[in-house]
Amino acid sequence: MVRRIDVTGTDGVRLAAWEFADSPKGRGEAEYAPGVLLLHGLMGRGSHWASTARWLAERHRAVALDQRGHGRSDKPAEGPFTREAYVSDAEAAIQQLGLAPVTLIGHSMGALTAWQLAAKRPDLVQALIICDMRASALGAASQREWEDWFRTWPLPFATLGDVRQWFGEDDPWLERPNPSRGEFFAEVMAEQADGWHPVFSRRQMLTSRETWVYDAHWEELAQVRCPTLVVRGLDGELGRAEAQEMVRVLPRGEYGEVADAGHLVHYDQPEGWRTAIEPFLDGVLTP
C-alpha cells in the first residue's frame, strides 16, 4: 500500500512524498510509529526505495521523497538546485509530515543531503544511514565525465526494453552487464510521442551535481551527532579506506558493506542491503 502526500518545499516547490504501509492501518497507529525518510540519489525517485520501504513499514512510518527536479516533484526551470534547497526541502518534509525525530536513509546525493540536514538540525534527526556517498571532492574532471556521458545517451529510446538493454549492458560506463541498473533507469523514463525520455532534465541534473562535486564535505560530517551507519557496495564508488575514514570522523559512526553490489547498493542487492542495515536500525529505533 502506497499513498502520495504533497509537501511544500522551499520557494513553494511542490514535492511528492510516498508513504508505504504493509497493510491498511488506522492513522493514529501509523503516526506514532518511528519516522523514516528515504532520500534517493541524483536521477533517482522515491519508488527506487520500494523494497526497503515495504519491510520498514512493518514497524516504522516509512516515507520516500521525490526530491526537486526528480520523479513526480516539481522541476522548476531555473531551480534553485542548490545544496541549501535540497536540505531545506527534506527539512520541510520532516516537519510537514510529522516524522521527527526521524531516521534519514540516503543514497548518493540523497545521503549528502541527509548528513547536511543532520548537521543543521540535530533536533529533527535521531539516526542516519549513508549509502555509497563520498565525503571527498570529486573535482572538475568528474563533472566533465558526466557531461560527456549524458551526450552518449541514445535518446529517445524506442521501448523500455531498449532502456534496460542500454543501461544494463550497452552503456560504455559499464564494466560488466548489470540488469538491475537497467531496471533502475527504466523506472525514471516516461513515454512521449517519439519514444521514451528521462523524467528529469539532464541539464538540471548537472546543475544539481555541480553544487557539491567541487567541494569536500568532511566538516559537515563531523558535525553529525546522531548514530550513523556508513554503507558501501564492494564494487561501488565509495572505497573502503574513505568509508572507514568517514566512520572515524563521525562522532558515532559505524561501518557496513554489501557484497556483489555496485553504486546502486539497495537496488543491486536488496537482501544484502537489509542484512547490513537492519541491526543498526533495530539498535536505534524503538517502535
Side-chain angles (χ1 to χ4, degrees), residues 202-229:
R202 289 173 293 170
R203 177 186 62 81
Q204 291 182 351
M205 295 302 98
L206 287 172
T207 299
S208 296
R209 195 173 187 271
E210 71 183 7
T211 65
W212 53 265
V213 72
Y214 301 116
D215 300 314
H217 306 283
W218 294 99
E219 184 176 347
E220 290 156 305
L221 196 68
Q223 295 169 4
V224 175
R225 299 300 171 187
C226 63
T228 302
L229 177 66

Side-chain angles (χ1 to χ4, degrees), residues 124-285:
L124 295 181
V125 183
Q126 70 169 347
L128 172 65
I129 296 178
I130 293 168
C131 179
D132 216 65
M133 178 62 189
R134 299 181 62 184
S136 298
L138 302 182
S142 173
Q143 188 74 351
R144 288 194 297 270
E145 287 173 1
W146 273 69
E147 292 170 0
D148 292 343
W149 177 57
F150 276 148
R151 283 193 287 267
T152 69
W153 289 21
L155 295 175
F157 292 96
T159 67
L160 278 180
D162 292 334
V163 174
R164 296 183 181 99
Q165 173 72 27
W166 196 82
F167 288 102
E169 297 187 31
D170 298 339
D171 184 345
W173 269 22
L174 279 176
E175 295 182 0
R176 57 180 180 274
N178 185 344
S180 67
R181 187 173 183 268
E183 292 294 338
F184 182 96
F185 279 97
E187 283 197 51
V188 292
M189 296 288 161
E191 190 173 19
Q192 299 180 17
D194 61 343
W196 292 82
H197 293 261
V199 298
F200 50 81
S201 157
R202 289 173 293 170
R203 177 186 62 81
Q204 291 182 351
M205 295 302 98
L206 287 172
T207 299
S208 296
R209 195 173 187 271
E210 71 183 7
T211 65
W212 53 265
V213 72
Y214 301 116
D215 300 314
H217 306 283
W218 294 99
E219 184 176 347
E220 290 156 305
L221 196 68
Q223 295 169 4
V224 175
R225 299 300 171 187
C226 63
T228 302
L229 177 66
V230 178
V231 183
R232 59 180 290 267
L234 291 190
D235 299 317
E237 296 178 8
L238 175 62
R240 179 181 283 111
E242 183 169 351
Q244 291 177 342
E245 179 63 12
M246 290 169 68
V247 171
R248 189 192 68 77
V249 166
L250 283 158
R252 302 172 67 185
E254 299 180 30
Y255 174 78
E257 60 185 26
V258 180
D260 300 318
H263 179 57
L264 305 175
V265 182
H266 58 296
Y267 210 84
D268 282 345
Q269 297 293 339
E271 290 305 316
W273 163 248
R274 180 172 182 172
T275 298
I277 72 170
E278 195 165 29
F280 173 80
L281 291 172
D282 287 343
V284 298
L285 298 183

Side-chain angles (χ1 to χ4, degrees), residues 38-56:
L38 301 122
L39 299 173
H40 61 74
L42 193 72
M43 302 183 296
R45 66 187 308 171
S47 64
H48 284 142
W49 288 112
S51 64
T52 299
R54 288 191 179 105
W55 63 260
L56 281 172

Side-chain angles (χ1 to χ4, degrees), residues 20-23 25 29 33-34 51-62 274 278 287:
F20 291 76
D22 61 329
S23 60
K25 297 179 179 178
E29 180 183 348
S51 64
T52 299
R54 288 191 179 105
W55 63 260
L56 281 172
E58 295 170 7
R59 291 191 296 163
H60 313 295
R61 188 178 177 204
R274 180 172 182 172
E278 195 165 29

